[in-house]
Amino acid sequence: MPYGSWYQTGFLMEQPLGLLRADLARLGFERAENVREPEDHIAALFEVMAMLIESGSDYDTQQGFYNDHLGPWAGRFFEDLQKAFPPMDKHEM
């Protein structure tokens, strides 16, 4: 489950998503009409981080967004992902 709410609360569409939506609005980001995934999907959060960096937003904004919306759970997500898809050794390729 690549969603921040899931990793932080055990449920989808919970308080972390609401807080994220408020921060996205404050930062000037809007959800595209054709997007069906919740905004707390790991790929969407990395896309926002990339846009913050590319737009030249100040470091405190970038760090705050990471600390609030990726830092609390992304490491555990990637650990789970690695367990689900362990690296193959070169003889398995």
Side-chain angles (χ1 to χ4, degrees):
M1 297 292 281
Y3 302 100
S5 290
W6 177 263
Y7 271 88
Q8 294 176 80
T9 69
F11 298 96
L12 295 174
M13 310 291 263
E14 288 292 322
Q15 183 181 14
L17 179 57
L19 296 172
L20 170 63
R21 286 177 173 163
D23 279 351
L24 291 172
R26 181 181 55 78
L27 292 168
F29 291 98
E30 295 180 13
R31 181 182 175 134
E33 288 184 32
N34 63 338
V35 173
R36 300 290 175 241
E37 293 288 331
E39 295 90 331
D40 63 341
H41 188 285
I42 189 91
L45 294 173
F46 279 124
E47 187 173 352
V48 170
M49 282 298 308
M51 287 189 263
L52 289 173
I53 293 164
E54 290 172 355
S55 71
S57 70
D58 64 87
Y59 179 78
D60 289 339
T61 299
Q62 296 170 28
Q63 186 68 54
F65 187 85
Y66 177 86
N67 289 345
D68 292 344
H69 303 296
L70 280 160
W73 69 278
R76 287 182 292 146
F77 166 75
F78 286 116
E79 288 171 6
D80 289 348
L81 187 63
Q82 187 172 13
K83 289 175 193 170
F85 299 98
M88 295 187 298
D89 70 32
K90 61 184 173 184
H91 301 293
E92 292 178 308
M93 294 180 169

